[in-house]
């Protein structure tokens, strides 16, 4: 007897669950549990009037991220159905970048990104992160209290990224405001992204005329022959995919160390290291929780769900991770501690994993070495999370600690020149 064919479900029946409000920000994993009850893929609303399908199953997420035959990263067909002023477009709207391209176009952009990032000398990057970290800590160490997000986690990656790309100091706050604003998916997201593009456009035009020893100039000189707009878009992609998630990774890992009993409720005395805290956060609360937009090239069936051509699918790294990599049948995926999906997978896997980890690790080690008795200044339940469907990001992380005598501080090392691996 022929066995019955597996059933193919539609995901249109359940009411989409909103992922952009304060309720989701306060309890994302509760939302993921509800969504998983619908199967590997469930309907969600990522902004007012904008629906998507969220992949919450680990194996389905891996399959989607690797299937370039069935799915495209180019959003333009889907984007034609979305209002032009939608606050979701600063993150999901098409630009000529590696993130929104396939095939040879993706390979060209990705090679320029990979080669430019490879120029960063890790030991110089580590020294610069340590120098900036010491400077930032010294600014509030004598007060006995501080906000480890606003005064540290957000400012440190900002300085690093803008220094390596050669952004003038007077424009650095505009960079961080632009990156942070576009991920919030609020009414001002488009304006925030537009200002980010303006700053980088001016920078690229200046470096085209007057090259310097920075990553912007090396992008412009890459054999891929990027024009000015292509260069602007790759740089804004790296800044948006680098600064805000790195900030969130530092903040989330510090919170983990301050609240997990294995860390003894402070930044000293626990048995676990900064490396372990970062790895656990990448599993449990990845700084980019939901992204990796994909679109079926044609009507198809995927993991038992009917999909329409051009329909928006987003991968929930956080929900998939919560099932554990052991759920995968792919040995390459479930090997070792790198089996989580926080860096994505497949051809669009994050190209800046190593610099991001180095920045976060060094930032945490510098802080724990100086403010070793820091503890939360408010109950963890009172901490607020930034709303938005894509990130897992604290608004603030207030702490108190024994004040340090600023007059006894050693002179800080000078900033090293950007060193290029050539």
């Amino acid at each position: 007897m022929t066995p019955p064919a597996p059933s193919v479900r539609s995901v249109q029946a359940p009411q989409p669950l909103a992922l952009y409000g304060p309720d989701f920000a306060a309890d994302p994993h509760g939302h993921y549990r509800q969504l998983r009850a619908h199967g590997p893929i469930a309907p969600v609303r990522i902004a007012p009037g904008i629906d998507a399908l969220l992949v919450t199953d680990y194996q389905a997420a891996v399959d989607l991220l690797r299937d370039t035959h069935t799915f495209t990263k180019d959003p333009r067909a889907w984007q034609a159905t979305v209002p032009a002023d939608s606050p979701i477009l600063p993150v999901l709207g098409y630009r000529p970048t590696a993130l929104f391209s396939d095939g040879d176009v993706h390979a060209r952009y990705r090679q320029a990104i990979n080669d430019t990032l490879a120029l960063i000398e890790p030991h110089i990057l580590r020294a610069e992160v340590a120098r900036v970290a010491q400077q930032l800590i010294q600014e509030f160490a004598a007060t006995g209290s501080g906000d480890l997000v606003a005064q540290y986690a957000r400012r440190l990656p900002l300085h690093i990224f803008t220094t390596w790309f050669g952004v003038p100091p007077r424009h650095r706050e505009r960079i961080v405001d632009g990156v942070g604003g576009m991920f919030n998916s609020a009414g001002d997201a488009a304006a925030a992204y537009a200002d980010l593009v303006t700053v980088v456009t001016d920078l690229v035009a200046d470096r085209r005329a007057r090259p310097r020893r920075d990553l912007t100039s090396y992008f412009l000189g890459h054999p891929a022959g990027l024009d000015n707009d292509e260069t602007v878009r790759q740089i804004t992609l790296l800044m948006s995919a680098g600064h805000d998630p790195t900030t969130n990774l530092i903040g989330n890992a510090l919170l983990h160390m301050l609240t997990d009993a294995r860390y003894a409720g402070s930044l000293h005395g626990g048995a676990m290291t900064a490396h372990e805290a970062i790895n656990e956060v990448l599993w449990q609360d990845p700084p980019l929780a939901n992204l990796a937009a994909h679109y079926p090239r044609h009507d198809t069936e995927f993991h038992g769900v009917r999909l329409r051509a051009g329909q928006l699918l987003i991968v929930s790294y956080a929900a998939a991770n919560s099932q554990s990599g052991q759920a995968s049948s792919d040995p390459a995926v479930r090997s070792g501690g790198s089996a989580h999906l926080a860096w994505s997978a497949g051809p669009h896997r994050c190209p800046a994993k190593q610099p991001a980890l180095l920045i976060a690790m060094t930032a945490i080690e510098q802080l724990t070495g100086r403010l070793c008795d820091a503890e939360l200044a408010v109950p963890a339940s009172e901490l607020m999370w930034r709303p938005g469907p894509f990130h897992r990001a604290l608004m603030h992380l207030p702490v108190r600690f024994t004040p340090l005598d600023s007059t006894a501080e050693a002179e800080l090392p000078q900033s090293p020149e950007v060193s290029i691996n050539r």
Side-chain angles (χ1 to χ4, degrees):
M1 178 181 294
T2 302
S7 61
V8 177
R9 299 178 299 101
S10 170
V11 296
Q12 301 303 315
Q15 182 69 22
L17 194 63
L19 300 187
Y20 57 88
D23 290 344
F24 172 70
D27 182 24
H29 286 283
H31 284 64
Y32 300 145
R33 285 191 294 272
Q34 293 182 54
L35 292 167
R36 196 174 288 114
H38 297 297
I41 303 172
V44 294
R45 184 155 292 159
I46 56 176
I50 307 297
D51 292 347
L53 301 177
L54 192 71
V55 180
T56 61
D57 176 80
Y58 187 95
Q59 188 62 55
V62 172
D63 292 344
L64 174 66
L65 292 167
R66 294 180 172 178
D67 188 351
T68 59
H69 176 74
T70 306
F71 299 95
T72 177
K73 293 286 290 179
D74 189 328
R76 282 176 285 190
W78 165 82
Q79 190 173 337
T81 68
V82 177
D85 61 351
S86 172
I88 214 70
L89 291 182
V91 174
L92 298 182
Y94 174 79
R95 274 93 70 186
T97 73
L99 184 62
F100 301 108
S101 305
D102 305 302
D104 292 342
V105 175
H106 171 258
R108 173 172 171 258
Y109 291 149
R110 182 65 180 241
Q111 193 64 55
I113 290 172
N114 290 346
D115 291 348
T116 301
L117 290 177
L119 298 172
I120 299 174
E121 289 276 14
H123 72 282
I124 297 295
L125 178 58
R126 182 185 296 276
E128 178 68 353
V129 174
R131 187 195 70 83
V132 176
Q134 292 175 40
Q135 182 178 3
L136 293 175
I137 294 167
Q138 187 166 309
E139 291 179 5
F140 62 87
T143 67
S145 64
D147 181 342
L148 298 186
V149 168
Q151 294 177 279
Y152 191 70
R154 288 191 71 77
R155 294 181 62 193
L156 194 153
L158 164 68
H159 181 97
I160 299 302
F161 278 93
T162 55
T163 295
W164 284 79
F165 280 100
V167 177
R170 67 183 182 278
H171 293 321
R172 287 175 178 171
E173 289 299 329
R174 291 174 66 187
I175 294 290
V176 74
D177 289 345
V179 170
M182 65 180 283
F183 275 103
N184 287 338
S185 302
D188 58 353
Y193 177 69
D195 194 53
L196 172 66
V197 170
T198 296
V199 173
V200 178
T201 298
D202 291 344
L203 174 67
V204 167
D206 179 78
R207 293 302 189 269
R208 179 74 77 178
R210 292 172 290 277
R212 298 185 187 177
R213 194 174 175 81
D214 55 37
L215 295 186
T216 299
S217 300
Y218 281 90
F219 253 120
L220 288 166
H222 190 272
L226 303 183
D227 63 27
N228 278 20
D229 184 61
E230 289 177 315
T231 304
V232 168
R233 301 301 176 167
Q234 309 320 308
I235 292 175
T236 55
L237 170 62
L238 284 175
M239 288 183 171
S240 59
H243 177 270
D244 213 51
T246 304
T247 291
N248 301 342
L249 179 56
I250 296 170
N252 294 358
L254 287 171
L255 174 62
H256 192 56
M257 297 177 76
L258 289 165
T259 55
D260 192 299
R262 293 168 295 172
Y263 297 90
S266 71
L267 300 183
H268 82 296
M272 301 186 74
T273 66
H275 173 79
E276 290 168 317
I278 287 173
N279 193 56
E280 289 193 355
V281 163
L282 290 171
W283 270 104
Q284 299 169 13
D285 276 313
L288 276 181
N290 308 298
L291 203 54
H294 286 72
Y295 310 85
R297 297 178 185 273
H298 46 76
D299 291 352
T300 189
E301 179 268 328
F302 181 72
H303 278 258
V305 177
R306 293 189 183 94
L307 303 177
R308 303 188 310 273
Q311 196 167 13
L312 170 60
L313 279 82
I314 292 175
V315 173
S316 178
Y317 304 131
N321 283 352
S322 68
Q323 290 187 314
S324 171
Q326 300 304 317
S328 175
S329 61
D330 188 339
V333 171
R334 52 185 170 85
S335 60
S338 62
H340 60 70
L341 296 179
W343 306 108
S344 194
H348 289 269
R349 183 179 176 86
C350 175
K353 172 184 174 181
Q354 296 307 322
L357 282 174
L358 190 151
I359 292 170
M361 193 84 64
T362 306
I364 294 172
E365 289 172 347
Q366 289 292 318
L367 190 75
T368 56
R370 297 287 302 285
L371 307 181
C372 58
D373 66 343
E375 60 183 14
L376 279 179
V378 300
S381 60
E382 295 183 9
L383 295 173
M384 300 295 291
W385 298 86
R386 287 166 49 200
F390 305 116
H391 53 224
R392 183 61 172 160
L394 284 163
M395 289 185 177
H396 302 283
L397 185 57
V399 296
R400 54 176 174 258
F401 49 86
T402 301
L404 301 182
D405 183 0
S406 60
T407 62
E409 295 294 334
E411 183 177 351
L412 296 175
Q414 296 299 308
S415 174
E417 180 183 0
V418 171
S419 180
I420 302 296
N421 220 348
R422 303 186 70 182

